[in-house]
Amino acid sequence: MITPESIILGDNVFIGWRARIEGVKQYQSKKFTPKVTLNSGVSIQQNLHLTCAESIEIGRNTAIAANVSITDIHHPYDDINIPIEHQNIKTNPVFIGDDCKIYNNSVILPGTKIGKHCTIGANSVVSGQFADYCVIVGSPAKIIKRYSFEKQAWLKTDAKGNFTEI
């Protein structure tokens, strides 16, 4: 943890080897008040890369596999006369619900909200809003299954989460 003062840890949080969890307090001329919340029971395997300038919250009992990136920071490329890395960053909070599983090499982008008990497939690039109880995969990631409480089963869906099987 590079900036422990920006990080709130719940009980029984496990953080694996070579995880980089950083609150960015200043970038170029702009100052930030980053807040990273890892709720109770979160487990993070090796090589997580998490950078936060505004807010990232990971829900209770969510498990994150190896080599995952999570950020609320976007490096804009608006001004073609300034190197991208030298332009002021933009932020958008990230929220990951309780009881989720995020598999290896996934990338969670700024502004993403993932509901409760969702699975993110390996190598997915996730951006957007996702309801509870979804299986989300791909690049760009889309919903492929959702739990039906009526059928008491996981059913295939279209990319918006509408059931396609009855």
Side-chain angles (χ1 to χ4, degrees):
M1 290 188 271
I2 294 174
T3 52
E5 67 276 11
S6 301
I7 302 166
I8 299 167
L9 294 176
D11 296 328
N12 300 315
V13 171
F14 172 80
I15 299 173
W17 186 64
R18 298 184 71 177
R20 174 183 174 168
I21 301 173
E22 179 180 8
V24 176
K25 293 182 171 184
Q26 182 169 355
Y27 194 86
Q28 300 299 337
S29 60
K30 197 168 181 182
K31 294 191 185 282
F32 297 94
T33 308
K35 180 180 171 189
V36 176
T37 304
L38 306 176
N39 286 298
S40 296
V42 167
S43 70
I44 296 170
Q45 298 305 312
Q46 68 273 19
N47 300 323
L48 171 76
H49 184 97
L50 185 154
T51 53
C52 172
E54 188 175 342
S55 174
I56 295 177
E57 180 172 356
I58 300 175
R60 290 178 293 121
N61 302 312
T62 287
I64 299 172
N67 307 316
V68 169
S69 292
I70 302 170
T71 187
D72 69 350
I73 297 170
H74 172 64
H75 288 268
Y77 46 85
D78 301 335
D79 189 336
I80 61 169
N81 297 308
I82 300 174
I84 294 168
E85 194 70 11
H86 295 171
Q87 296 186 36
N88 282 329
I89 59 175
K90 295 179 180 177
T91 64
N92 201 348
V94 170
F95 178 83
I96 300 169
D98 294 343
D99 306 326
C100 291
K101 174 69 180 180
I102 300 172
Y103 282 93
N104 300 57
N105 307 311
S106 293
V107 177
I108 312 296
L109 294 171
T112 296
K113 182 177 179 189
I114 300 170
K116 179 180 181 175
H117 204 98
C118 289
T119 295
I120 308 297
N123 303 312
S124 294
V125 178
V126 184
S127 179
Q129 312 274 320
F130 300 92
D132 296 345
Y133 306 100
C134 290
V135 177
I136 303 158
V137 300
S139 177
K142 296 180 171 37
I143 300 168
I144 62 165
K145 284 185 178 179
R146 191 164 55 89
Y147 190 78
S148 167
F149 285 93
E150 181 183 327
K151 303 282 184 182
Q152 297 289 299
W154 291 90
L155 302 178
K156 291 182 180 176
T157 68
D158 63 17
K160 293 182 179 176
N162 300 309
F163 293 117
T164 58
E165 64 180 316
I166 301 174

